């Protein structure tokens, strides 16, 4: 009977594994079809059709990413081991020479296995077509303005993977907003904060206002899980490729791992503190507000490009899905897009368009929409970029 029970359980687990493998193969086939469809919409269609098609594919890819994220809690991803557990009464029964109906029972043990999931955030261009990367075709549409009335001036803002927003006061508190831009709550992060970046679905990194430590914060449990000590004062913070880029004063950008170990030290030039930077595809883009310039360097410190035309005080910046850099020129109250090679630029929004003291700018992951926040933390503005 025990052998039969074991066979039944084994067949059940094998059937579950077979179904799970078939499900994964189906997802892989869908990705293959998306790739083929992507080549079609970017080469054989009009600009409008290409834009709409690419947007639809990006949404499908995002759904696949969420599916992979959810696998970490799926029982089917655990390793199965069937073991025999002896009946505690066997010795007593044998000693009495009575008949046995059961020697024990079959049980299932499941252990975690490494799925090699990619859970870090990467702001990469999902699709690069000549029409969409031409910044002359980019226009900014202001949708709505939302009053939030934060108590102190703002130093940083990001959009999370799920669309929600985190705001950071200058040397102050962190606030969580809904995906619609409504103030939800203050996050219970100890100490004063200055910069924020997201590591994965549930985790963010916060740079302490004194710049000597980075707190790793779990959004789901609302707890600090780790504190990374810095050897010098940090000002800017960005995450990519399982590493953090930290702007150290005026002349150095450190690349550190999530244990706090320094992987690279990039020597750079800047007349101002390295408050705002974006780390992606093994390069760092940073603004130099006093030097009136935006720089792009690789991980060796070699300058890829430098942009200085018509800038007065560049501050907050980020990259769109096509590798272009969006930067806020604080003193001119303008929002400028710089081409991915640093050669061209275009004003997307100026003070005549009505934005008051724009300070921070962020995209929703893999989308062309996002939020602009003013310096005093009164108004959050929703926008959308059109690429043709």
């Amino acid at each position: 009977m025990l052998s039969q029970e074991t066979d039944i359980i084994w067949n059940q687990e094998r059937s579950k594994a077979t179904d799970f493998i078939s499900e994964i193969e189906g997802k892989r086939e869908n990705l293959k079809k998306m790739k083929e469809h992507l080549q079609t919409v970017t080469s054989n269609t009009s600009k409008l059709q290409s834009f709409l098609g690419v947007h639809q594919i990006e949404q499908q890819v995002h759904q696949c990413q969420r599916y992979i994220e959810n696998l970490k809690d799926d029982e089917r991803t655990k390793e199965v081991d069937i073991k025999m557990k002896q009946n505690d009464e066997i010795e007593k029964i044998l000693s009495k020479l009575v008949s046995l109906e059961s020697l024990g029972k079959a049980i299932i043990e499941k252990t975690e296995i490494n799925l090699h999931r990619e859970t870090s955030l990467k702001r990469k261009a999902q699709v690069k077509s000549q029409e969409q990367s031409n910044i002359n075709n980019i226009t900014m549409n202001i949708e709505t303005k939302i009053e939030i009335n934060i108590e102190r001036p703002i130093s940083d803002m990001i959009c999370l993977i799920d669309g929600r927003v985190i705001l950071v006061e200058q040397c102050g508190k962190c606030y969580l907003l809904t995906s619609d831009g409504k103030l939800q709550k203050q996050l219970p992060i100890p100490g004063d904060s200055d910069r924020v970046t997201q590591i994965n679905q549930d985790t963010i990194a916060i740079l302490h206002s004194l710049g000597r430590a980075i707190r790793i914060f779990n959004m789901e449990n609302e707890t600090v899980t780790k504190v990374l000590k810095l050897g010098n004062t940090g000002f800017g913070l960005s995450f990519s490729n399982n590493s953090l880029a930290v702007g150290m004063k005026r002349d150095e950008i450190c690349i550190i791992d999530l244990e706090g170990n320094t992987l690279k030290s990039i020597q750079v030039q800047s007349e101002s503190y390295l408050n705002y930077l974006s780390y992606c595809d093994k390069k760092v883009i940073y603004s130099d507000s006093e030097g009136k310039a935006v720089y792009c360097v690789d991980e060796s410190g070699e300058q890829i490009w430098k942009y200085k035309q018509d800038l007065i005080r560049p501050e907050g910046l980020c990259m769109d899905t096509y590798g272009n850099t969006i930067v806020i020129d604080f003193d001119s109250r303008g929002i400028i897009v710089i081409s991915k090679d640093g050669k061209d630029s275009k004003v997307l929004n100026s003070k005549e368009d009505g934005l008051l003291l724009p300070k921070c700018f962020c995209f929703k992951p893999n989308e062309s929409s996002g939020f602009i926040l003013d310096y005093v933390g009164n108004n959050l503005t929703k926008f959308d970029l059109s690429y043709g």
Side-chain angles (χ1 to χ4, degrees):
M1 291 182 62
L2 182 58
S3 175
Q4 293 176 350
E5 183 181 354
T6 303
D7 289 340
I8 292 172
I9 292 177
W10 173 250
N11 289 332
Q12 290 174 342
E13 294 301 318
R14 183 172 59 181
S15 177
K16 292 178 184 178
T18 301
D19 292 343
F20 183 49
I21 293 172
S22 299
E23 183 179 312
I24 295 295
E25 291 296 332
K27 296 290 184 181
R28 181 183 297 175
E29 186 64 26
N30 288 339
L31 284 173
K32 182 179 178 181
K33 291 179 181 178
M34 278 189 272
K35 183 177 180 181
E36 294 172 352
H37 182 50
L38 176 60
Q39 294 174 343
T40 301
V41 299
T42 56
S43 58
N44 301 322
T45 60
S46 65
K47 293 181 181 179
L48 178 59
Q49 291 173 323
S50 176
F51 175 76
L52 295 175
V54 167
H55 181 71
Q56 183 181 21
I57 292 172
E58 285 179 344
Q59 297 302 311
Q60 294 171 347
V61 171
H62 183 60
Q63 291 176 1
C64 290
Q65 291 173 331
R66 293 295 298 273
Y67 172 80
I68 294 173
E69 287 287 342
N70 292 334
L71 286 180
K72 65 183 180 181
D73 299 320
D74 197 318
E75 288 292 319
R76 297 174 299 173
T77 63
K78 296 181 179 180
E79 187 174 299
V80 176
D81 187 14
I82 298 178
K83 296 181 178 181
M84 301 294 183
K85 183 178 180 181
Q86 180 177 301
N87 192 323
D88 295 335
E89 298 295 319
I90 286 180
E91 294 298 331
K92 295 179 181 179
I93 297 174
L94 283 174
S95 65
K96 295 180 179 180
L97 297 177
V98 298
S99 60
L100 299 177
E101 294 182 359
S102 172
L103 293 176
K105 63 179 180 179
I107 61 173
I108 298 173
E109 277 195 8
K110 295 186 178 183
T111 56
E112 300 286 347
I113 59 175
N114 187 2
L115 295 179
H116 303 290
R117 294 185 299 266
E118 180 66 40
T119 59
S120 61
L121 300 182
K122 297 180 181 178
R123 288 209 59 80
K124 287 188 178 179
Q126 302 299 320
V127 182
K128 297 180 181 178
S129 65
Q130 183 176 358
E131 295 83 357
Q132 290 167 328
S133 61
N134 184 354
I135 64 172
N136 292 321
N137 296 331
I138 303 176
T139 57
M140 174 176 282
N141 306 306
I142 299 299
E143 297 182 354
T144 56
K145 293 183 179 179
I146 307 162
E147 290 189 10
I148 53 175
N149 296 320
I150 301 298
E151 297 177 359
R152 302 172 64 175
I154 298 299
S155 63
D156 205 3
M157 172 178 68
I158 61 169
C159 281
L160 300 174
I161 295 175
D162 59 13
R164 293 182 297 171
V165 179
I166 291 182
L167 308 182
V168 182
E169 291 178 338
Q170 186 173 320
C171 300
K173 305 170 184 175
C174 292
Y175 295 94
L176 180 65
L177 280 64
T178 67
S179 58
D180 295 328
K182 297 178 182 178
L183 187 60
Q184 185 172 342
K185 62 182 176 180
Q186 177 188 335
L187 294 177
I189 300 174
D192 294 334
S193 306
D194 236 11
R195 297 288 181 268
V196 60
T197 189
Q198 187 169 19
I199 294 175
N200 58 39
Q201 180 75 32
D202 300 320
T203 311
I204 60 175
I206 302 289
L207 181 63
H208 193 272
S209 63
L210 297 179
R212 292 281 184 169
I214 296 172
R215 290 184 173 89
I216 308 301
F217 184 78
N218 185 286
M219 293 286 293
E220 183 176 358
N221 300 328
E222 295 194 338
T223 56
V224 174
T225 59
K226 191 181 301 182
V227 177
L228 311 181
K229 298 293 185 179
L230 300 177
N232 209 332
T233 303
F235 290 86
L237 186 65
S238 183
F239 179 82
S240 177
N241 196 31
N242 293 317
S243 304
L244 290 162
V246 187
M248 313 295 282
K249 294 190 175 180
R250 291 182 172 90
D251 58 1
E252 182 186 15
I253 297 172
C254 282
I255 308 299
I256 66 174
D257 63 21
L258 295 179
E259 298 300 323
N261 303 308
T262 299
L263 305 177
K264 291 182 177 66
S265 176
I266 306 173
Q267 301 302 309
V268 298
Q269 60 181 41
S270 178
E271 296 181 26
S272 55
Y273 291 120
L274 298 167
N275 288 311
Y276 296 100
L277 52 85
S278 179
Y279 179 37
C280 184
D281 293 333
K282 297 184 178 181
K283 62 185 179 183
V284 182
I285 298 173
Y286 65 92
S287 58
D288 179 2
S289 58
E290 299 298 326
K292 303 178 180 180
V294 175
Y295 293 88
C296 177
V297 298
D298 63 21
E299 290 184 328
S300 69
E302 182 177 351
Q303 182 176 299
I304 300 174
W305 54 260
K306 171 184 177 181
Y307 185 85
K308 201 170 183 178
Q309 181 181 349
D310 300 328
L311 293 176
I312 301 177
R313 188 181 169 186
E315 294 199 349
L317 56 78
C318 62
M319 296 174 64
D320 70 2
T321 54
Y322 307 107
N324 305 307
T325 300
I326 314 294
V327 60
I328 290 180
D329 197 19
F330 186 73
D331 282 357
S332 72
R333 305 181 188 179
I335 299 176
I336 299 169
V337 56
I338 303 172
S339 61
K340 62 183 179 181
D341 59 8
K343 294 181 179 179
D344 302 304
S345 69
K346 180 182 179 181
V347 176
L348 298 178
N349 195 284
S350 64
K351 62 180 179 181
E352 287 77 15
D353 296 312
L355 286 181
L356 180 63
L357 298 176
K359 178 72 173 182
C360 299
F361 186 99
C362 67
F363 282 103
K364 294 181 179 180
N366 301 316
E367 294 188 22
S368 59
S369 60
F371 297 96
I372 306 164
L373 184 65
D374 63 19
Y375 173 68
V376 293
N378 286 335
N379 293 292
L380 189 69
T381 302
K382 297 177 68 174
F383 74 88
D384 182 73
L385 294 188
S386 173
Y387 287 82

